[in-house]
Amino acid sequence: MAAQFGRRVVKGAATTAVAAVAVAALSASQAPGVTDTAQGRQSTGSQPSSDPDADNSATGNSPYYTDLPPLNSPTPTPTTGTGTPTGTGEAEAGIPATVLDAYKKAEAALGESKPGCNLPWQLLAAIGKVESGQARGGRVDANGTTITPILGPVLNGNGFARITDTDGGAYDGDTTHDRAVGPMQFIPSTWEWSGRDGNGDGKKDPNNIYDAALAAGGYLCRFGWDLSDKADLRRAILSYNNSTHYLNTVLSWLEYYRKGTHEVPDGTGTLPSGRSDDNNGSSSSPTPTPTSPGTTPPSSQTPGGGGSTSPSPKPPTTTPPPSTPPTTPATPTDTVDHLEDAGTAKLTATAGDAFAEKIATRTETEAGKAVAKVRVRFTIVGDTDSVFTGGESVATVVTNSSGVATAPALKAGEKTGDFTVRATVVGRAVSGLDYKATVTARQADALARTGDSALTCVVGGEFADQVELKATYKGAAADGVEATATLVKAADDATANDKGPYFKDADGKAVRTLAGLKTDANGLLKLPKLYADDTAGTFLLRINTTGGATLTVELKVTAAPSSSPSPSAS
């Protein structure tokens, strides 16, 4: 009841005292810090952006649904005119079963992979509500894939951002411009790096709610954001769609869902009506026709996300004069002729460390003039586990006023060797620019024993003390450094000895070389127990690490004490 009443007042009697009461109650039901305009569901902040940077977001700042949750007023507010339907609040709190399951599974997955993010599934539900009305009321199959595609409007610059095709139509079916796709409304260029396989079928499908929900969670958790922090939460939501009105709408649904939800059968969820582009001047939008849960939208609407509903045009009263299609002005991207390195230094890092240098690329015209506001995509190529900050292998950055795009910091993985970072222009077929990066093994330049007790044993016995070492590099503990321990024949002969002390393998057999050892987080390495055969003498244990650190330890094996004969009886 409250939702219908609020909509009727906001749209039909905004100047009345009743409207003031409704808007005040609406604001009170929102999350802390959420603001709204006197128009409630429509504001200038909700208009689609024509900013060429708009695609530097999950959705390309595509239109979205502006319906707000019920007011949840404890006492009914009197209305003017006709009465209002009841039970709206209960219906709005219902989330289709498969969709709800996808949100909760995404929360669990991100809780393991990025526990510091503190992603609540209710945030995914709030975004899913605003982007697609929970996959059009849960119209998904048993695997979570939408029964019909959910597509946003063509991002051709006509009332929206202009984003030329980036996927060859693979996701959105459009080979000229991009469109937001699926229940979480990803544009293809964002899905390319943020897409996830949330249902384990080996595919990353933006039309699948499990894949899309996990991808949305990963997108919101990048940059090390902690979503339990109010400032980080706002940053994350605005990165999804850069509109203050969008932020407020999502926060309102987040607060509403946190107060309680329930599961409803797939296909029976409530369908939203108001859209952020209703008054953008590009089309005539009639008053939405109310729909009951589980019903199909009117035939004049195309199943889709926040920007997918296209009302049937009203028949003209007069024959319009012929017109010439407007010429779309060239964008900065259209003027790019080539890419140039913008002073990137040598890219080298030790395994597990951050690269000190960042990759910087400049977009230029044929005449060599820098071009601002161009999307440059950086892609990590090769057999490596190195990633950009946030754990992604692809990052898209918009060039600044000097035409320079600086990639996020690279973090070296554990795989050593060379890999490539390739810079390309999104939406423009120009040659890419490759940057070589090298990951070197963790190193130590010094090794020392942590104790100084003599290492001795009798023949056939075992050494009481285990050998423990500490590796350092430039005075600091060297963690994760690989080492090899060998019982050598002599100081000048590194060949493994065939007698004397030995280690034991998993089967209890004697071995005199241990490879693949690694120091711990404090640079410490404790070797397994040593045993002695029946050979007495002084022996050498040599430990070598990557980086050149070497330590030789002396081991002594003594003969067993002889037993004295018993004195003869006199």
Side-chain angles (χ1 to χ4, degrees):
M1 180 186 298
Q4 289 292 336
F5 169 72
R7 184 178 299 118
R8 189 170 283 113
V9 169
V10 167
K11 294 186 177 180
T15 61
T16 67
V18 176
V21 173
V23 173
L26 176 62
S27 298
S29 73
Q30 294 176 345
V34 177
T35 59
D36 207 353
T37 65
Q39 285 74 34
R41 302 174 191 277
Q42 304 295 333
S43 74
T44 55
S46 69
Q47 298 303 315
S49 170
S50 58
D51 187 338
D53 295 347
D55 60 323
N56 193 29
S57 68
T59 67
N61 294 344
S62 293
Y64 53 90
Y65 287 116
T66 57
D67 294 29
L68 289 173
L71 299 177
N72 290 329
S73 176
T75 56
T77 306
T79 67
T80 58
T82 60
T84 58
T86 61
T88 305
E90 182 181 355
E92 288 290 358
I95 299 178
T98 300
V99 177
L100 181 59
D101 184 55
Y103 295 151
K104 291 184 175 181
K105 281 192 165 91
E107 178 195 55
L110 269 299
E112 292 184 5
S113 63
K114 294 189 176 182
C117 178
N118 294 304
L119 171 76
W121 66 261
Q122 292 91 341
L123 177 58
L124 297 177
I127 290 176
K129 178 71 173 182
V130 170
E131 292 296 345
S132 68
Q134 310 297 19
R136 298 300 295 162
R139 298 182 67 231
V140 296
D141 63 20
N143 295 319
T145 302
T146 57
I147 294 172
T148 55
I150 299 178
L151 296 174
V154 177
L155 298 176
N156 58 7
N158 183 20
F160 310 110
R162 180 170 184 252
I163 305 178
T164 52
D165 176 60
T166 62
D167 66 331
Y171 295 120
D172 56 13
D174 192 324
T175 57
T176 304
H177 296 94
D178 274 349
R179 304 175 70 175
V181 181
M184 303 304 275
Q185 288 289 276
F186 280 93
I187 53 174
S189 59
T190 304
W191 182 260
E192 180 177 339
W193 62 266
S194 65
R196 298 288 188 275
D197 176 14
N199 61 353
D201 64 356
K203 297 184 293 183
K204 300 176 182 179
D205 182 3
N207 297 297
N208 182 278
I209 186 59
Y210 288 99
D211 296 357
L214 184 58
Y219 186 91
L220 294 166
C221 287
R222 72 200 196 286
F223 301 139
W225 282 329
D226 178 2
L227 301 184
S228 66
D229 177 79
K230 182 177 178 181
D232 278 359
L233 175 64
R234 294 172 71 91
R235 292 186 191 101
I237 296 172
L238 284 171
S239 78
Y240 211 89
N241 190 312
N242 191 19
S243 159
T244 301
H245 187 272
Y246 179 88
L247 168 70
N248 292 344
T249 306
V250 169
L251 286 174
S252 297
W253 282 106
L254 170 60
E255 184 71 6
Y256 179 75
Y257 286 139
R258 275 176 166 162
K259 292 178 180 177
T261 61
H262 59 273
E263 179 183 298
V264 298
D266 291 343
T268 66
T270 58
L271 300 176
S273 56
R275 293 194 316 162
S276 61
D277 61 333
D278 281 348
N279 296 327
N280 69 2
S282 62
S283 65
S284 173
S285 182
T287 301
T289 302
T291 57
S292 301
T295 60
T296 304
S299 59
S300 62
Q301 297 179 347
T302 301
S308 64
T309 305
S310 300
S312 300
K314 297 178 181 179
T317 54
T318 59
T319 302
S323 60
T324 303
T327 301
T328 304
T331 66
T333 301
D334 297 331
T335 67
V336 176
D337 176 75
H338 59 274
L339 294 172
E340 289 287 344
D341 176 41
T344 304
K346 186 177 182 180
L347 297 167
T348 303
T350 301
D353 292 345
F355 283 76
E357 300 295 332
K358 291 183 178 180
I359 298 171
T361 302
R362 186 172 54 253
T363 53
E364 296 183 356
T365 65
E366 186 176 5
K369 182 179 178 181
V371 186
K373 296 185 176 181
V374 173
R375 292 169 293 132
V376 176
R377 180 178 297 135
F378 297 95
T379 306
I380 296 175
V381 181
D383 182 18
T384 181
D385 54 353
S386 297
V387 293
F388 291 116
T389 301
E392 308 298 343
S393 60
V394 179
T396 301
V397 180
V398 178
T399 58
N400 61 19
S401 58
S402 300
V404 175
T406 302
L410 279 166
K411 187 177 187 306
E414 294 301 322
K415 290 184 178 180
T416 60
D418 297 336
F419 65 92
T420 299
V421 178
R422 181 165 300 149
T424 56
V425 177
V426 178
R428 181 76 171 163
V430 299
S431 297
L433 190 60
D434 286 350
Y435 295 85
K436 178 183 175 182
T438 302
V439 178
T440 59
R442 296 172 187 258
Q443 299 180 24
D445 56 16
L447 273 177
R449 280 189 64 197
T450 58
D452 56 4
S453 60
L455 298 168
T456 62
C457 178
V458 297
V459 293
E462 64 181 52
F463 288 80
D465 297 322
Q466 290 178 245
V467 178
E468 185 179 64
L469 313 165
K470 182 166 185 178
T472 56
Y473 183 70
K474 296 182 179 180
D479 64 307
V481 175
E482 291 191 0
T484 300
T486 304
L487 291 146
V488 298
K489 287 186 174 180
D492 56 355
D493 185 354
T495 306
N497 211 334
D498 55 1
K499 59 185 178 179
Y502 61 91
F503 300 106
K504 288 183 179 180
D505 63 13
D507 297 324
K509 296 180 179 178
V511 292
R512 292 186 169 87
T513 297
L514 295 178
L517 304 171
K518 188 173 289 188
T519 61
D520 67 13
N522 298 311
L524 298 175
L525 172 62
K526 179 177 280 190
L527 300 182
K529 272 191 173 185
L530 280 162
Y531 302 85
D533 62 10
D534 57 0
T535 307
T538 299
F539 301 90
L540 300 178
L541 169 65
R542 182 164 296 163
I543 303 97
N544 297 304
T545 71
T546 51
T550 299
L551 179 67
T552 302
V553 178
E554 189 175 89
L555 307 172
K556 289 187 177 181
V557 179
T558 60
S562 59
S563 56
S564 301
S566 300
S568 302
S570 53

